[in-house]
Amino acid sequence: MSFTLLKTIILLSISNLFMLFAWYGHLKNLSSKPWIIAALISWGIALIEYLFQVPANRIGFTQFDLAQLKILQEVITLVIFVPFAVFYMQQPLKWDYLWAGLCILGAVYFIFRN
């Protein structure tokens, strides 16, 4: 695994974790607050997310094309989303997560093949 790929994966993973909290964390933690409060807090979290996502994509774009970066992000999203949904949001583990993962693996194959 190249150092560029490793840095990209690490930064995108951190970015994605913040993104999940910005998008969905308020559903658990701020459900009793007005939506505008949740939105403002989510924007603050999203700012942190972008501080990792933008450098990750700039680093990754030196080695990968745009479609490869997008599919890489989707793989990372699913890998981080499932534990987030199950352990943090207390959602049931579903077989659909496995099927979605297999579909994304197919996308990885097609986008990264020569």
Side-chain angles (χ1 to χ4, degrees):
M1 182 181 305
S2 75
F3 188 63
T4 299
L5 177 59
L6 185 61
K7 284 194 311 191
T8 302
I9 288 172
I10 289 169
L11 289 171
L12 285 176
S13 296
I14 295 167
S15 165
N16 202 279
L17 189 59
F18 280 101
M19 180 199 67
L20 285 171
F21 277 98
W23 284 14
Y24 305 113
H26 63 88
L27 297 174
K28 180 176 181 178
N29 299 332
L30 300 171
S31 61
S32 64
K33 302 286 185 198
W35 74 266
I36 191 71
I37 299 298
L40 292 171
I41 290 171
S42 291
W43 284 348
I45 295 169
L47 173 62
I48 298 168
E49 182 251 332
Y50 273 83
L51 295 174
F52 289 97
Q53 179 261 101
V54 171
N57 283 326
R58 285 178 173 234
I59 293 166
F61 198 61
T62 64
Q63 185 173 337
F64 306 105
D65 65 34
L66 190 61
Q68 290 172 325
L69 278 173
K70 181 59 182 168
I71 294 301
L72 181 60
Q73 175 60 47
E74 294 304 324
V75 169
I76 291 168
T77 296
L78 193 58
V79 167
I80 292 178
F81 172 77
V82 172
F84 175 85
V86 172
F87 297 114
Y88 184 75
M89 295 298 291
Q90 304 293 306
Q91 298 293 303
L93 184 61
K94 298 181 180 181
W95 279 104
D96 291 343
Y97 298 156
L98 173 64
W99 308 135
L102 291 174
C103 290
I104 289 179
L105 283 178
V108 169
Y109 169 77
F110 286 112
I111 210 72
F112 280 95
R113 72 182 173 148
N114 293 328

